[in-house]
Amino acid sequence: MTQEKPTAVEIKFANYFRSDKNDYVLAKVVEHYSDGRKVPALREFKNFERSIYITRPPYRNHQQKKECEFIDRLQEFKCRQMDLIPTISKALGYRGKYNGTLKQLCRSPYVYNVDITTPSIIVNTYKKKYPEAVTPYSVAVLDIETNVHTIDQDPIIVSVTFGNRAVMCIDKHWLGKENCVKSKIIEYCKKYEGDLIEKRNIDIEVYLGEHGGDIAQYAISKINEWMPDFVCIWNIDFDIPKILAVLEKFGYNPADVFSHPSVPKEFRKAYFYMDDKPQRKMVGGKEKLIPKDRMDQWHFLTTPSASIYLCGMRVYGKHRVAAEGKSADGYTLDVILKKHINRAKVKIEGIEHLEKLHFHKVAQTHYKLDYVAYNLGDCVELELLQEKLLDLTINIGNFIGVTEYKNYFSQTKKASDEMHLLHQEYGQPLCATSDQMF
């Protein structure tokens, strides 16, 4: 029986990875079928060759870089992204191995079309081929609670919600034998969020695990199974480092846990970039190190998955600070929920007056089932917020273009990618930038 082919393939994003010998791009797509079905899928590109251009010898008569060059004055070379340095150095006439960086090599005024990355080239190819294939991004939400009574503060609850699906992964030793009754857990969830559970017809799966590593790996396995485009986390720089740490503590390889099971072992990784380094700025005529504003930090998890893990709080701020200024009330989830959907985080009966660390200490000790419901509420209500604001379902995709999501906060990179594509259309590739240009 012939397998049905999709009528269109919509690309959501693509990410680049490499091993010692090969490079690899994993693209998330949605396959559109004639009967209306839209099916999420992955496309792999191993050792994809992209184009770079070098000025032909007769036209190497200038010392300064040109912004662009006519295509007939350039020679095209194709290579893997991991081979850019040897390919360019050989084309420029260097003998032997070039030991500098790519940016140093691109000091030459004769190198073009290097700055745009292979994933961006692949995304653009799909967008041009299937321009009408556009659907909202699918968004799941992940939230954790950590044990505030211990030094390590391992996760005791890791929950993921995705439309009408939810999985609540709970450390059964923290919860206690008397509370490890799934029907009882769901009863408490309905006590606090029953209206949303009924309205959204949420099927709640309860997983009672041995420890923080067990519940973390199970929650991530459900994300890999469900394949949402985005996993939204409010304040990602808390949740992801905790999950990575507890996986390693209990002997799990984070790269294997986060990577989609279909990804070859050699390309699996899970690296979390903390974008919190101080910035050098001129203050009073002197250069000083200034702490980076929390809302300007774009922390990012690099992993070959069918989903991108994004900070909902930073995306929210990015889309509004320019027009509205910074929120005077801050960016806690409770504040933003009240502002936009007239709901608030779950208030546990009997301790409504408690806040911050004191609340968590008391709730984790005396109100454990209520606390589980509190965690589910954070997930479902953040989903509601995203559906109202459309930050992740629509707006972010319109803003990003073909640029990789790790560069979402970089206007410079986005503008550069757009310029590369425009110059390619007009047959005048854009020059490569060097380490001396900024």
Side-chain angles (χ1 to χ4, degrees):
M1 183 177 178
T2 305
Q3 186 175 3
E4 182 184 1
K5 292 185 178 181
T7 57
V9 180
E10 173 189 3
I11 192 160
K12 293 297 187 179
F13 55 81
N15 290 315
Y16 173 82
F17 305 90
R18 59 168 291 178
S19 64
D20 292 337
K21 296 182 179 180
N22 299 292
D23 73 3
Y24 179 80
V25 174
L26 185 67
K28 171 68 177 292
V29 302
V30 175
E31 297 173 341
H32 295 231
Y33 291 91
S34 57
D35 60 2
R37 285 180 298 127
K38 295 175 177 60
V39 181
L42 294 173
R43 297 283 173 96
E44 298 176 303
F45 301 85
K46 189 175 179 180
N47 295 324
F48 180 93
E49 292 192 333
R50 41 83 55 81
S51 296
I52 57 104
Y53 299 89
I54 305 294
T55 305
R56 295 180 184 276
Y59 300 102
R60 298 183 189 180
N61 53 12
H62 52 91
Q63 299 301 313
Q64 300 298 318
K65 278 185 174 288
K66 296 182 179 181
E67 180 180 345
C68 57
E69 183 60 281
F70 294 107
I71 194 77
D72 59 358
R73 297 181 180 180
L74 303 174
Q75 184 174 356
E76 182 182 18
F77 294 83
K78 286 186 174 290
C79 68
R80 302 177 301 176
Q81 186 151 317
M82 67 187 298
D83 295 330
L84 283 173
I85 289 178
T87 301
I88 295 170
S89 63
K90 183 178 179 180
L92 290 174
Y94 286 90
R95 293 183 178 180
K97 183 180 178 182
Y98 182 82
N99 293 318
T101 67
L102 180 61
K103 287 294 184 184
Q104 290 171 334
L105 183 58
C106 289
R107 292 174 186 175
S108 166
Y110 309 129
V111 184
Y112 295 84
N113 202 52
V114 170
D115 292 354
I116 192 165
T117 62
T118 298
S120 294
I121 292 168
I122 290 172
V123 169
N124 183 58
T125 300
Y126 273 88
K127 285 180 177 287
K128 287 181 69 175
K129 187 172 182 179
Y130 303 105
E132 302 302 318
V134 180
T135 58
Y137 288 79
S138 59
V139 182
V141 170
L142 179 147
D143 187 50
I144 72 172
E145 308 298 339
T146 60
N147 194 332
V148 297
H149 296 283
T150 62
I151 294 175
D152 289 347
Q153 296 194 5
D154 291 343
I156 49 178
I157 309 171
V158 183
S159 294
V160 181
T161 61
F162 183 39
N164 64 353
R165 290 173 281 188
V167 61
M168 304 197 69
C169 307
I170 309 164
D171 183 333
K172 67 182 181 182
H173 300 291
W174 164 79
L175 189 59
K177 187 175 181 180
E178 70 281 4
N179 293 324
C180 287
V181 180
K182 295 181 180 181
S183 60
K184 199 173 181 181
I185 293 168
I186 292 174
E187 177 187 335
Y188 269 77
C189 290
K190 290 181 177 179
K191 171 184 174 182
Y192 287 97
E193 295 284 49
D195 60 329
L196 294 183
I197 293 171
E198 182 179 356
K199 183 178 180 181
R200 299 170 73 84
N201 192 28
I202 301 175
D203 179 21
I204 302 175
E205 176 186 355
V206 177
Y207 178 77
L208 300 172
E210 292 292 333
H211 46 65
D214 185 12
I215 62 174
Q217 69 81 25
Y218 191 82
I220 303 303
S221 76
K222 299 304 288 188
I223 291 172
N224 283 327
E225 176 188 331
W226 295 342
M227 295 177 64
D229 298 325
F230 295 131
V231 178
C232 178
I233 303 171
W234 201 263
N235 202 14
I236 195 172
D237 46 319
F238 175 78
D239 297 59
I240 293 298
K242 287 291 186 184
I243 290 174
L244 292 173
V246 81
L247 288 173
E248 291 182 347
K249 176 180 176 178
F250 287 99
Y252 295 91
N253 183 345
D256 289 335
V257 173
F258 276 96
S259 300
H260 193 270
S262 66
V263 174
K265 285 273 190 180
E266 66 177 305
F267 302 116
R268 294 183 182 182
K269 68 181 296 185
Y271 171 72
F272 188 64
Y273 172 70
M274 289 286 288
D275 184 27
D276 57 357
K277 294 180 181 178
Q279 296 175 303
R280 295 185 181 275
K281 291 187 177 181
M282 296 301 294
V283 180
K286 295 182 179 180
E287 188 178 68
K288 292 187 177 181
L289 285 174
I290 306 298
K292 195 169 189 178
D293 187 280
R294 188 163 178 250
M295 295 303 291
D296 292 331
Q297 299 172 5
W298 186 240
H299 312 293
F300 194 81
L301 177 68
T302 299
T303 190
S305 168
S307 310
I308 289 183
Y309 294 74
L310 295 180
C311 182
M313 182 178 73
R314 267 79 177 195
V315 174
Y316 175 88
K318 178 73 171 178
H319 289 176
R320 288 165 185 81
V321 168
E324 304 173 7
K326 291 185 178 178
S327 170
D329 298 320
Y331 293 93
T332 66
L333 182 57
D334 200 42
V335 165
I336 304 305
L337 290 174
K338 289 175 181 175
K339 181 177 180 179
H340 292 284
I341 63 172
N342 197 32
R343 292 184 74 99
K345 287 165 68 78
V346 166
K347 304 297 181 185
I348 294 178
E349 293 179 4
I351 54 171
E352 297 93 340
H353 59 291
L354 298 184
E355 295 181 345
K356 300 181 179 178
L357 182 58
H358 190 197
F359 160 75
H360 289 282
K361 283 184 174 181
V362 173
Q364 288 182 14
T365 304
H366 303 293
Y367 297 84
K368 293 185 177 183
L369 290 173
D370 306 78
Y371 194 64
V372 170
Y374 163 86
N375 176 259
L376 179 70
D378 277 4
C379 291
V380 179
E381 293 188 9
L382 182 48
E383 274 198 88
L384 282 180
L385 180 70
Q386 289 302 326
E387 291 163 7
K388 170 74 179 295
L389 299 178
L390 305 179
D391 281 351
L392 295 182
T393 54
I394 293 176
N395 297 337
I396 194 172
N398 292 338
F399 178 86
I400 198 74
V402 302
T403 301
E404 294 175 73
Y405 278 93
K406 67 179 182 180
N407 296 315
Y408 172 65
F409 267 30
S410 175
Q411 292 277 22
T412 303
K413 180 57 179 167
K414 183 175 181 295
S416 170
D417 289 342
E418 290 175 350
M419 287 290 288
H420 271 80
L421 298 178
L422 182 63
H423 278 265
Q424 278 286 83
E425 281 189 29
Y426 285 97
Q428 299 177 33
L430 204 63
C431 75
T433 58
S434 77
D435 60 326
Q436 297 177 333
M437 295 177 68
F438 300 101

